[in-house]
Amino acid sequence: MAGLELLSDQGYRLDGRKASELRKVQARMGVFAQADGSAYLEQGNTKALAVVYGPHEIRGSRSRALHDRAVINCQYSMATFSTAERKRRPHGDRKSTEMSLHLKQTFEAAVMTQLYPRSQIDIYVKILQSDGGNYSVCVNAATLAVIDAGIPMRDYVCACTVGFVDETPLADLCYAEESGGVSSLALALLPRGGQIALLQMDARLHQDHLETLIEAAMTACKGVSKVLDEVVRQHLQEVSVLTGE
Amino acid sequence: MAADMRLPTIRKPVSLSVSTSDRKDLVVPGDVITSDTGFMRGHGTYVDEDKLTASVAGEVQRVDKLICVRPLKTRFNGEVGDVVVGRITEVQQKRWKVETNSRLDSVLLLSSVNLPGGELRRRSAEDELTMREYLQEGDLISAEVQSVFSDGALSLHTRSLKYGKLGQGVLVQLSPSLIKRQKTHFHNLPCGASIILGNNGFVWLYPTPEQQEEEAGGFYTSLEPVSLSDREVISRLRNCLLALAAHKVLLYDTSVLYCYESSLQHQVKDILKPEVMEEIVMLTQQKLLEQEG
């Protein structure tokens, strides 16, 4: 192992968590009045803001319209001040484009797009502070924003990154762990049915370990979904007391 | 110039009703509503392995055998007869496209507008060429929903003198769920301004017209300067609407008027300050409760 000891002999990680422990998740729904749906989510030190517009008429070239379902348009961006080194371009670089594509795939699996033919749903996510697990935090924030917009989904989509160190899977990696040369895996899950919306891994891992890693990722996603569920129910309760006739 | 600043704090919307009990009819996406197969699937639900499941977060509504979930906030779902305020986005052949906060742009057919020169007039090819003279991109109109297409798009009509192009005034865009359905959505408020509460959440505030112009067919727009007092009343109403919307109070003529009256002791620009907003909304809710008895 190079330099850092990611998992101590006592079983603690760099930031003092246990191997399967998640970071603290805090979230708020309906942060903007202008958008159809919006949410702010913090997972440890990673902070993301998600905004949803739609479903609305296709803007721009009409040829993109699909006659049987809605088009989902995602944009992932990172604030210039979100990383330790100031970023030049907030969005449009290769990494962000790839991330946008992944978000799009994830939400196409969860949102019931066939209900809105010939329309478009925009999901914009911005990372305000980056401390590892950017993709998963974006997915979690965007899920809340989509629910806030009242767009039908099959289930929540919850995502989590999992790393593999010393034969143990580590849930919800932070930046120090991600950059420490861990083989990590990002998983987006529809928790109730256990369907996988997206699975991404770009590191080497022995085939035998894959199963345990996916298993750990699913448990972590279910943990996240519990927190999101609480946030949504709390929000519902608050708003329905006001509008309830 | 004195600047007004405050730190970001979470403010809970004020409410006079004290129902803190857990409501059982609230569901989130993926919640199983019932596994009984005798029920019909309505909006906001889907069937997953013979179980009726919610697909949006909201409250469950049951009408006989039909189960729907109504989300707290959504785009405008138009119904025939709804009054809407919209903006022209496109002029096409024989039709205008209108943005009405709906899922798809609405359609206003040339044949469903009143053209100047009487009701019974044939639409000629010339009319088609001069469509842009009546309504062009960016114009605001008030209209009524004539029919709903199968894909959910709305067809509008302005075949009444009360509908048509909107002239000088202020547009406020709010959530459609805040507008109370009523017999009439056009009100001349006694405070000196008029209001159109569009069912789609677009609210139009304008100075009360002095006399109804005939023969204009709803395309005449007055460019007379509006007096300062009228403009003040309209600005105050606009801020009142935003205050009511921030605290999720249903909007209709009485609630807007009560809010206006409660706000009179404050300056127009102060209404949007969070403390003042809370105070005004509280007063309004009290008056509404008293009126209900």
Side-chain angles (χ1 to χ4, degrees), chain A residues 11-33:
Chain A
Y12 289 105
R13 288 153 68 177
L14 289 173
D15 47 8
R17 284 184 288 158
K18 291 269 183 61
S20 61
E21 201 176 324
L22 298 173
R23 291 178 289 180
K24 187 179 182 186
V25 181
Q26 277 182 308
R28 263 173 65 197
M29 290 168 75
V31 285
F32 294 123

Side-chain angles (χ1 to χ4, degrees), chain A residues 1-8 14 165-166 175-182:
Chain A
M1 176 155 301
L4 286 169
E5 189 188 38
L6 293 175
L7 193 66
S8 72
L14 289 173
V165 173
D166 299 345
Y175 179 73
E177 289 167 331
E178 259 184 0
S179 53
V182 184

